[in-house]
Structures are given as structure tokens and as C-alpha cells.
Amino acid sequence: MLNTKRQNRSEEIFSTIAHLFTEKGYMETTMRGIAKELNMKAPSLYNYFRSKEEGLFKVLNDSMDSGLKKMQEVCNMRISPKEKLYKLIDI
């Protein structure tokens, strides 16, 4: 149960980071700002990642993994290449 709670909190943290990077940009987003948005203290964030840069890497990496998974699903579909292309463009 503890791992599930920690995993849920981790997902919440990285979702918040992604949101703040989108809204404010990387340079304007601070560790304090992330912590404030999550109602926690900035030092507590270091239990989940070591730096803002690591947070950015995780957000980007997870996003790429998700996109690649969706592309693979489309490529495995039994549809015409043209239909695959349209579906890939929509991703």
C-alpha cells in the first residue's frame, strides 16, 4: 500500500511539473513553485527527484514513452498504410 501511495504522489508531482512547465515555462518554474502548487515543502520534493532538470527529463521521457507506445499500437493495426498515417498524425 505504501508503494501505491508513493507512486500516486509521484504521478501527481510529475503531472504538476508538466503543467507548470507548460504554463510558466521551464525557466520560470521553481522548486518552491512546484512545492507550493502541491501544498508541500520544497525539500520534500527531493525525495522524488534530485533537481528541476531531472524533473524535466522524467516528464519528457514519460511523454516520449507514451507517444511511442501509441505509435506502436497504430503500426500494429490491420488497416491500410494511408489510414495508419492519418492515425499517426492525430497522435
Side-chain angles (χ1 to χ4, degrees):
M1 176 154 165
L2 185 59
N3 278 342
T4 302
K5 187 175 182 179
R6 181 172 170 78
Q7 185 175 352
N8 289 343
R9 184 63 166 165
S10 181
E11 289 172 7
E12 179 185 12
I13 288 168
F14 289 107
S15 176
T16 299
I17 291 171
H19 170 75
L20 290 173
F21 286 165
T22 300
E23 291 296 313
K24 295 183 174 188
Y26 176 78
M27 296 301 289
E28 296 298 319
T29 301
T30 64
M31 294 293 277
R32 284 187 180 152
I34 295 167
K36 182 179 179 184
E37 189 78 18
L38 292 159
N39 296 316
M40 60 191 294
K41 295 183 182 194
S44 298
L45 289 173
Y46 293 101
N47 292 315
Y48 296 90
F49 59 101
R50 292 184 294 256
S51 65
K52 185 170 81 167
E53 292 83 8
E54 187 177 306
L56 174 64
F57 177 79
K58 173 135 176 59
V59 167
L60 292 175
N61 193 51
D62 288 355
S63 179
M64 292 293 292
D65 285 347
S66 175
L68 289 171
K69 182 181 176 187
K70 289 175 185 175
M71 285 195 226
Q72 189 62 51
E73 289 170 1
V74 170
C75 289
N76 291 335
M77 291 179 174
R78 294 183 181 258
I79 56 178
S80 73
K82 183 177 179 180
E83 289 173 298
K84 286 181 184 181
L85 182 58
Y86 285 127
K87 286 192 176 289
L88 289 170
I89 290 170
D90 284 339
I91 290 178

